[in-house]
Amino acid sequence: MDDVNDHGLHRLYGAAGRRIAYRKSDYADYLLMLAISALVLGVSYQASPWLMGAGLVLCALMAVSFPLRHGATLAMPELFRQPVAALYSLLYKVQNIKPMFWVAALLLAADQLFIRATPGWPHHSALMGNIALGLFLVHLALLSLYRTVILAAHLQRRALVREILQQTVWKSALERQPNVVLHIVHAYVTGLLTHLILLAPWFLVITHARFSVISVAVTSVVCVLIHAFHLRTYSDWYYRDHWLAHNAPLDFVYLHGTHHDAIPCGLIGVSGNGLLEGFLRSLGGNPTSLYSPPIAFLLHTVEVLQDIRMHQYIPGIYPQLPRQFHDVAQHSTHHFGRLEPYGIGLRMTGAGEGGGRKNWLDFPPESIMNSIAIDERLNGFEWDNPRYKKFLELVDKYQK
């Protein structure tokens, strides 16, 4: 697909490399990716040694799990063979930044200048910093507890997890490593570590920026408006970023691959990110970490909670999504072995009598609610494809 037809959404400067799964020959690159992740954790969480330590332990567990699940062969890392591909990957990220990210960054900078320019005003920055840190810890604790409850549900019904996965493309993974408990725990560790790395930019903002009780109400309202406009470009941004994650040579192995390496259940849900991918997306894609503390807390919590639930593709096990949701969402197809859809994959409008919505506010925007349209246009995606039909059969069979 050339740039004339897809407006640059499929542009690559080097060779393509379509990927959806790790190979045992990826182990050297995988270890290097974990080393970079550990560095990110070390730099980001200097103000909280216990969070840093927890992240490093999780990195070690991931390093051990790879050869247990895939086997491993050591070779020269692909990153060293194609260093220019890493520069291309960073360039892709910068090119894909949407205007509202810069507006959010300018708002945060303006708030810092306002606080510095009025030192005698009652900003109570220390109090606001403690509140922001408290909101961060509450968010992390609640979502980790929720993830742990889901872990217990999967371990309790591990026989059902195996039975369902053996009817999907994940059968080969279970043949290679039959210990389903290992797969479940690996998914749990993947979710915890991905979540911690995703939040690193938010933690850096909390610990290095200052906030004011005087301006927090105004900045919060402006942040809500910024996010509303951000959502209008979100579908294109996500499609481009996700397409690169599966087609750029290094993006899958270093950024997105861990998201597909774990079994498709709610344990892995963290905004659809791989380990380092979440960090880079927060630095130059999703502006949530730049928002005022109350809005950042609210949006991060809603986003991660939704992503956990929306990745529960082993039916019959908590947390179950209603059948009606699966009727309008195609992301399950992507986690059961097909690259498309690269977009969000929703068809919630325009399918019924009378066409699309009539709400003049158009929120959430049509580009999200009918996001499957971008894959239908660019990739010829068909809604009633065999993988999707098979998944719905499993839902009907196992979900009460």
Side-chain angles (χ1 to χ4, degrees), residues 262-312:
I263 59 175
C265 63
L267 292 168
I268 67 171
V270 187
S271 305
N273 298 317
L275 297 187
L276 289 174
E277 187 175 38
F279 182 74
L280 292 178
R281 283 178 171 178
S282 290
L283 284 182
N286 188 347
T288 301
S289 293
L290 303 177
Y291 293 158
S292 65
I295 303 304
F297 167 78
L298 177 63
L299 291 178
H300 271 310
T301 302
V302 170
E303 183 177 11
V304 176
L305 179 63
Q306 284 184 336
D307 204 63
I308 289 174
R309 298 187 69 245
M310 290 172 63
H311 277 87
Q312 184 56 36

Short mmCIF file of all heavy atoms in Angstrom, two decimals, residues 262-312:
data_model
loop_
_atom_site.label_atom_id
_atom_site.label_comp_id
_atom_site.label_asym_id
_atom_site.label_seq_id
_atom_site.Cartn_x
_atom_site.Cartn_y
_atom_site.Cartn_z
N ALA A 262 2.49 -13.51 25.80
CA ALA A 262 1.72 -14.09 26.89
C ALA A 262 0.35 -14.54 26.39
O ALA A 262 -0.17 -14.03 25.39
CB ALA A 262 1.55 -13.07 28.02
N ILE A 263 -0.24 -15.50 27.09
CA ILE A 263 -1.56 -16.00 26.70
C ILE A 263 -2.57 -14.86 26.71
O ILE A 263 -2.46 -13.93 27.51
CB ILE A 263 -2.01 -17.16 27.61
CG1 ILE A 263 -2.07 -16.72 29.08
CG2 ILE A 263 -1.11 -18.37 27.42
CD1 ILE A 263 -2.63 -17.78 30.01
N PRO A 264 -3.59 -14.90 25.84
CA PRO A 264 -4.51 -13.77 25.66
C PRO A 264 -5.58 -13.69 26.75
O PRO A 264 -6.72 -14.13 26.57
CB PRO A 264 -5.13 -14.05 24.29
CG PRO A 264 -5.13 -15.55 24.20
CD PRO A 264 -3.88 -16.00 24.90
N CYS A 265 -5.21 -13.12 27.87
CA CYS A 265 -6.17 -12.98 28.97
C CYS A 265 -5.97 -11.63 29.64
O CYS A 265 -5.01 -10.91 29.35
CB CYS A 265 -5.99 -14.11 29.99
SG CYS A 265 -4.38 -14.12 30.79
N GLY A 266 -6.86 -11.28 30.55
CA GLY A 266 -6.82 -9.98 31.20
C GLY A 266 -5.55 -9.70 31.97
O GLY A 266 -5.22 -8.53 32.22
N LEU A 267 -4.80 -10.72 32.32
CA LEU A 267 -3.56 -10.53 33.08
C LEU A 267 -2.56 -9.65 32.34
O LEU A 267 -1.73 -8.98 32.97
CB LEU A 267 -2.92 -11.90 33.37
CG LEU A 267 -3.69 -12.81 34.33
CD1 LEU A 267 -3.12 -14.21 34.30
CD2 LEU A 267 -3.66 -12.24 35.75
N ILE A 268 -2.60 -9.62 31.01
CA ILE A 268 -1.60 -8.88 30.24
C ILE A 268 -2.04 -7.46 29.94
O ILE A 268 -1.25 -6.66 29.41
CB ILE A 268 -1.29 -9.59 28.91
CG1 ILE A 268 -2.51 -9.56 27.97
CG2 ILE A 268 -0.85 -11.02 29.15
CD1 ILE A 268 -2.21 -10.05 26.56
N GLY A 269 -3.27 -7.09 30.24
CA GLY A 269 -3.82 -5.82 29.79
C GLY A 269 -3.15 -4.60 30.42
O GLY A 269 -3.21 -4.41 31.63
N VAL A 270 -2.50 -3.78 29.59
CA VAL A 270 -1.92 -2.50 30.02
C VAL A 270 -1.91 -1.57 28.81
O VAL A 270 -0.86 -1.33 28.21
CB VAL A 270 -0.48 -2.65 30.57
CG1 VAL A 270 -0.02 -1.31 31.17
CG2 VAL A 270 -0.39 -3.73 31.63
N SER A 271 -3.05 -1.08 28.40
CA SER A 271 -3.13 -0.15 27.27
C SER A 271 -2.59 -0.74 25.97
O SER A 271 -2.10 0.00 25.11
CB SER A 271 -2.38 1.16 27.59
OG SER A 271 -2.86 1.72 28.79
N GLY A 272 -2.61 -2.07 25.84
CA GLY A 272 -2.17 -2.70 24.62
C GLY A 272 -0.68 -2.61 24.37
O GLY A 272 -0.24 -2.73 23.22
N ASN A 273 0.12 -2.43 25.44
CA ASN A 273 1.54 -2.17 25.28
C ASN A 273 2.40 -3.38 25.56
O ASN A 273 2.06 -4.23 26.38
CB ASN A 273 2.00 -1.07 26.27
CG ASN A 273 1.32 0.24 26.02
OD1 ASN A 273 1.16 0.67 24.89
ND2 ASN A 273 0.91 0.89 27.09
N GLY A 274 3.58 -3.40 24.91
CA GLY A 274 4.67 -4.22 25.36
C GLY A 274 5.47 -3.45 26.39
O GLY A 274 5.10 -2.33 26.77
N LEU A 275 6.58 -4.02 26.86
CA LEU A 275 7.33 -3.41 27.97
C LEU A 275 7.80 -2.00 27.65
O LEU A 275 7.30 -1.01 28.20
CB LEU A 275 8.52 -4.30 28.35
CG LEU A 275 8.20 -5.70 28.88
CD1 LEU A 275 9.50 -6.37 29.35
CD2 LEU A 275 7.20 -5.66 30.02
N LEU A 276 8.79 -1.87 26.77
CA LEU A 276 9.33 -0.55 26.45
C LEU A 276 8.36 0.29 25.63
O LEU A 276 8.44 1.51 25.62
CB LEU A 276 10.64 -0.71 25.68
CG LEU A 276 11.84 -1.22 26.48
CD1 LEU A 276 13.02 -1.47 25.57
CD2 LEU A 276 12.20 -0.23 27.58
N GLU A 277 7.44 -0.36 24.98
CA GLU A 277 6.47 0.35 24.14
C GLU A 277 5.63 1.32 24.96
O GLU A 277 5.40 2.46 24.54
CB GLU A 277 5.57 -0.66 23.44
CG GLU A 277 4.63 -0.07 22.42
CD GLU A 277 3.86 -1.15 21.69
OE1 GLU A 277 3.47 -2.15 22.34
OE2 GLU A 277 3.64 -1.01 20.48
N GLY A 278 5.19 0.90 26.13
CA GLY A 278 4.38 1.78 26.97
C GLY A 278 5.14 3.01 27.40
O GLY A 278 4.59 4.12 27.45
N PHE A 279 6.43 2.86 27.71
CA PHE A 279 7.25 3.99 28.11
C PHE A 279 7.37 4.99 26.97
O PHE A 279 7.18 6.20 27.16
CB PHE A 279 8.64 3.48 28.52
CG PHE A 279 9.57 4.55 28.99
CD1 PHE A 279 9.41 5.13 30.25
CD2 PHE A 279 10.62 4.97 28.19
CE1 PHE A 279 10.28 6.12 30.69
CE2 PHE A 279 11.49 5.96 28.62
CZ PHE A 279 11.32 6.53 29.88
N LEU A 280 7.66 4.49 25.76
CA LEU A 280 7.80 5.39 24.61
C LEU A 280 6.48 6.03 24.22
O LEU A 280 6.44 7.20 23.82
CB LEU A 280 8.40 4.62 23.43
CG LEU A 280 9.85 4.17 23.58
CD1 LEU A 280 10.30 3.39 22.35
CD2 LEU A 280 10.77 5.36 23.81
N ARG A 281 5.39 5.28 24.33
CA ARG A 281 4.09 5.86 24.00
C ARG A 281 3.73 6.99 24.96
O ARG A 281 3.13 7.99 24.56
CB ARG A 281 3.01 4.77 24.03
CG ARG A 281 3.02 3.86 22.81
CD ARG A 281 1.96 2.77 22.90
NE ARG A 281 1.84 2.04 21.64
CZ ARG A 281 1.02 1.02 21.45
NH1 ARG A 281 0.24 0.59 22.45
NH2 ARG A 281 0.96 0.42 20.28
N SER A 282 4.09 6.85 26.24
CA SER A 282 3.81 7.91 27.19
C SER A 282 4.72 9.11 26.98
O SER A 282 4.35 10.24 27.30
CB SER A 282 3.97 7.39 28.62
OG SER A 282 2.94 6.48 28.96
N LEU A 283 5.93 8.88 26.46
CA LEU A 283 6.85 9.97 26.20
C LEU A 283 6.51 10.75 24.95
O LEU A 283 6.90 11.92 24.83
CB LEU A 283 8.29 9.43 26.07
CG LEU A 283 9.01 9.03 27.36
CD1 LEU A 283 10.42 8.57 27.03
CD2 LEU A 283 9.05 10.18 28.36
N GLY A 284 5.81 10.13 24.01
CA GLY A 284 5.56 10.82 22.76
C GLY A 284 4.34 10.36 22.01
O GLY A 284 4.36 10.32 20.77
N GLY A 285 3.31 10.01 22.69
CA GLY A 285 2.09 9.58 22.02
C GLY A 285 0.87 9.90 22.83
O GLY A 285 0.05 10.76 22.48
N ASN A 286 0.73 9.23 23.95
CA ASN A 286 -0.42 9.44 24.84
C ASN A 286 -0.05 10.48 25.88
O ASN A 286 0.86 10.27 26.68
CB ASN A 286 -0.78 8.11 25.52
CG ASN A 286 -2.07 8.22 26.31
OD1 ASN A 286 -2.58 9.31 26.55
ND2 ASN A 286 -2.61 7.09 26.73
N PRO A 287 -0.74 11.64 25.93
CA PRO A 287 -0.34 12.73 26.83
C PRO A 287 -0.81 12.57 28.28
O PRO A 287 -0.58 13.47 29.10
CB PRO A 287 -0.99 13.95 26.19
CG PRO A 287 -2.21 13.41 25.52
CD PRO A 287 -1.83 12.03 25.03
N THR A 288 -1.44 11.46 28.64
CA THR A 288 -2.06 11.33 29.96
C THR A 288 -1.10 11.62 31.10
O THR A 288 -1.46 12.26 32.09
CB THR A 288 -2.66 9.91 30.12
OG1 THR A 288 -3.61 9.69 29.10
CG2 THR A 288 -3.34 9.76 31.47
N SER A 289 0.14 11.15 31.01
CA SER A 289 1.10 11.35 32.10
C SER A 289 1.45 12.81 32.32
O SER A 289 1.98 13.17 33.38
CB SER A 289 2.38 10.54 31.83
OG SER A 289 2.11 9.15 31.88
N LEU A 290 1.16 13.67 31.34
CA LEU A 290 1.48 15.10 31.45
C LEU A 290 0.34 15.89 32.09
O LEU A 290 0.52 17.08 32.39
CB LEU A 290 1.78 15.67 30.06
CG LEU A 290 2.90 15.00 29.28
CD1 LEU A 290 3.03 15.63 27.89
CD2 LEU A 290 4.22 15.09 30.03
N TYR A 291 -0.79 15.27 32.30
CA TYR A 291 -1.95 15.99 32.81
C TYR A 291 -1.82 16.30 34.31
O TYR A 291 -0.94 15.76 35.00
CB TYR A 291 -3.22 15.17 32.57
CG TYR A 291 -3.60 14.99 31.12
CD1 TYR A 291 -4.43 13.93 30.73
CD2 TYR A 291 -3.16 15.85 30.12
CE1 TYR A 291 -4.79 13.75 29.40
CE2 TYR A 291 -3.52 15.68 28.80
CZ TYR A 291 -4.34 14.63 28.44
OH TYR A 291 -4.70 14.46 27.13
N SER A 292 -2.72 17.11 34.80
CA SER A 292 -2.76 17.41 36.23
C SER A 292 -3.01 16.11 36.99
O SER A 292 -3.65 15.19 36.46
CB SER A 292 -3.86 18.42 36.54
OG SER A 292 -5.14 17.86 36.26
N PRO A 293 -2.52 15.99 38.23
CA PRO A 293 -2.60 14.71 38.95
C PRO A 293 -3.98 14.07 39.01
O PRO A 293 -4.09 12.86 38.76
CB PRO A 293 -2.07 15.07 40.34
CG PRO A 293 -1.12 16.19 40.09
CD PRO A 293 -1.74 17.00 38.98
N PRO A 294 -5.05 14.80 39.31
CA PRO A 294 -6.36 14.12 39.37
C PRO A 294 -6.80 13.53 38.03
O PRO A 294 -7.34 12.42 37.98
CB PRO A 294 -7.33 15.23 39.82
CG PRO A 294 -6.46 16.27 40.43
CD PRO A 294 -5.17 16.22 39.69
N ILE A 295 -6.53 14.26 36.93
CA ILE A 295 -6.95 13.77 35.62
C ILE A 295 -6.06 12.62 35.16
O ILE A 295 -6.54 11.64 34.58
CB ILE A 295 -6.92 14.92 34.59
CG1 ILE A 295 -7.83 16.07 35.06
CG2 ILE A 295 -7.38 14.42 33.22
CD1 ILE A 295 -9.26 15.67 35.33
N ALA A 296 -4.77 12.72 35.44
CA ALA A 296 -3.86 11.62 35.08
C ALA A 296 -4.26 10.35 35.83
O ALA A 296 -4.27 9.26 35.26
CB ALA A 296 -2.42 12.01 35.42
N PHE A 297 -4.59 10.50 37.10
CA PHE A 297 -5.02 9.34 37.90
C PHE A 297 -6.29 8.73 37.32
O PHE A 297 -6.37 7.50 37.12
CB PHE A 297 -5.26 9.77 39.35
CG PHE A 297 -5.98 8.75 40.18
CD1 PHE A 297 -5.31 7.65 40.70
CD2 PHE A 297 -7.34 8.89 40.44
CE1 PHE A 297 -5.98 6.71 41.47
CE2 PHE A 297 -8.02 7.95 41.21
CZ PHE A 297 -7.33 6.85 41.71
N LEU A 298 -7.26 9.56 37.02
CA LEU A 298 -8.54 9.06 36.52
C LEU A 298 -8.37 8.36 35.17
O LEU A 298 -8.85 7.23 34.98
CB LEU A 298 -9.52 10.22 36.38
CG LEU A 298 -10.90 9.89 35.79
CD1 LEU A 298 -11.65 8.92 36.69
CD2 LEU A 298 -11.71 11.16 35.58
N LEU A 299 -7.67 8.99 34.24
CA LEU A 299 -7.55 8.42 32.90
C LEU A 299 -6.66 7.18 32.88
O LEU A 299 -6.98 6.20 32.19
CB LEU A 299 -7.00 9.49 31.94
CG LEU A 299 -7.96 10.65 31.64
CD1 LEU A 299 -7.29 11.66 30.72
CD2 LEU A 299 -9.25 10.15 31.01
N HIS A 300 -5.55 7.21 33.60
CA HIS A 300 -4.71 6.01 33.67
C HIS A 300 -5.49 4.83 34.26
O HIS A 300 -5.40 3.70 33.77
CB HIS A 300 -3.46 6.27 34.51
CG HIS A 300 -2.30 6.79 33.74
ND1 HIS A 300 -1.84 6.21 32.58
CD2 HIS A 300 -1.46 7.85 33.97
CE1 HIS A 300 -0.80 6.88 32.12
NE2 HIS A 300 -0.54 7.88 32.94
N THR A 301 -6.26 5.10 35.30
CA THR A 301 -7.00 4.02 35.96
C THR A 301 -8.06 3.45 35.03
O THR A 301 -8.17 2.22 34.89
CB THR A 301 -7.65 4.54 37.25
OG1 THR A 301 -6.63 5.06 38.12
CG2 THR A 301 -8.39 3.42 37.97
N VAL A 302 -8.83 4.31 34.40
CA VAL A 302 -9.88 3.85 33.50
C VAL A 302 -9.27 3.10 32.32
O VAL A 302 -9.75 2.03 31.92
CB VAL A 302 -10.73 5.04 33.01
CG1 VAL A 302 -11.66 4.61 31.88
CG2 VAL A 302 -11.53 5.63 34.16
N GLU A 303 -8.18 3.63 31.76
CA GLU A 303 -7.57 3.03 30.58
C GLU A 303 -7.01 1.64 30.87
O GLU A 303 -7.27 0.69 30.12
CB GLU A 303 -6.45 3.93 30.05
CG GLU A 303 -5.81 3.43 28.77
CD GLU A 303 -4.76 4.38 28.23
OE1 GLU A 303 -4.38 5.32 28.94
OE2 GLU A 303 -4.33 4.16 27.08
N VAL A 304 -6.27 1.50 31.96
CA VAL A 304 -5.68 0.20 32.28
C VAL A 304 -6.77 -0.80 32.69
O VAL A 304 -6.74 -1.97 32.29
CB VAL A 304 -4.61 0.34 33.38
CG1 VAL A 304 -4.07 -1.03 33.78
CG2 VAL A 304 -3.47 1.23 32.91
N LEU A 305 -7.74 -0.33 33.46
CA LEU A 305 -8.84 -1.22 33.87
C LEU A 305 -9.60 -1.74 32.67
O LEU A 305 -9.89 -2.95 32.56
CB LEU A 305 -9.78 -0.47 34.82
CG LEU A 305 -11.00 -1.25 35.31
CD1 LEU A 305 -10.58 -2.45 36.15
CD2 LEU A 305 -11.93 -0.34 36.12
N GLN A 306 -9.90 -0.86 31.73
CA GLN A 306 -10.60 -1.28 30.51
C GLN A 306 -9.75 -2.25 29.71
O GLN A 306 -10.26 -3.23 29.16
CB GLN A 306 -10.96 -0.06 29.66
CG GLN A 306 -12.13 0.75 30.18
CD GLN A 306 -12.49 1.88 29.23
OE1 GLN A 306 -11.68 2.34 28.45
NE2 GLN A 306 -13.72 2.34 29.31
N ASP A 307 -8.46 -1.97 29.62
CA ASP A 307 -7.59 -2.82 28.80
C ASP A 307 -7.46 -4.22 29.40
O ASP A 307 -7.38 -5.20 28.67
CB ASP A 307 -6.21 -2.19 28.67
CG ASP A 307 -5.48 -2.67 27.42
OD1 ASP A 307 -5.98 -2.40 26.32
OD2 ASP A 307 -4.43 -3.31 27.56
N ILE A 308 -7.45 -4.30 30.73
CA ILE A 308 -7.43 -5.62 31.38
C ILE A 308 -8.68 -6.41 30.99
O ILE A 308 -8.60 -7.57 30.57
CB ILE A 308 -7.34 -5.46 32.90
CG1 ILE A 308 -5.94 -4.96 33.32
CG2 ILE A 308 -7.65 -6.78 33.61
CD1 ILE A 308 -5.81 -4.63 34.79
N ARG A 309 -9.82 -5.79 31.11
CA ARG A 309 -11.07 -6.49 30.81
C ARG A 309 -11.18 -6.81 29.32
O ARG A 309 -11.64 -7.89 28.94
CB ARG A 309 -12.27 -5.64 31.25
CG ARG A 309 -12.32 -5.38 32.74
CD ARG A 309 -13.59 -4.68 33.17
NE ARG A 309 -14.74 -5.55 33.05
CZ ARG A 309 -15.75 -5.33 32.21
NH1 ARG A 309 -15.76 -4.27 31.42
NH2 ARG A 309 -16.77 -6.15 32.15
N MET A 310 -10.72 -5.90 28.46
CA MET A 310 -10.89 -6.08 27.02
C MET A 310 -9.90 -7.08 26.44
O MET A 310 -10.01 -7.43 25.26
CB MET A 310 -10.77 -4.73 26.32
CG MET A 310 -11.94 -3.81 26.59
SD MET A 310 -11.73 -2.13 25.95
CE MET A 310 -11.63 -2.45 24.19
N HIS A 311 -8.94 -7.56 27.24
CA HIS A 311 -8.02 -8.59 26.77
C HIS A 311 -8.34 -9.97 27.35
O HIS A 311 -7.52 -10.89 27.22
CB HIS A 311 -6.57 -8.22 27.10
CG HIS A 311 -5.96 -7.29 26.09
ND1 HIS A 311 -6.08 -5.92 26.18
CD2 HIS A 311 -5.24 -7.53 24.96
CE1 HIS A 311 -5.46 -5.35 25.15
NE2 HIS A 311 -4.95 -6.31 24.39
N GLN A 312 -9.51 -10.10 27.94
CA GLN A 312 -9.89 -11.40 28.48
C GLN A 312 -10.50 -12.24 27.37
O GLN A 312 -11.71 -12.21 27.14
CB GLN A 312 -10.88 -11.25 29.65
CG GLN A 312 -11.24 -12.55 30.34
CD GLN A 312 -10.02 -13.30 30.85
OE1 GLN A 312 -9.05 -12.71 31.29
NE2 GLN A 312 -10.07 -14.62 30.78
#
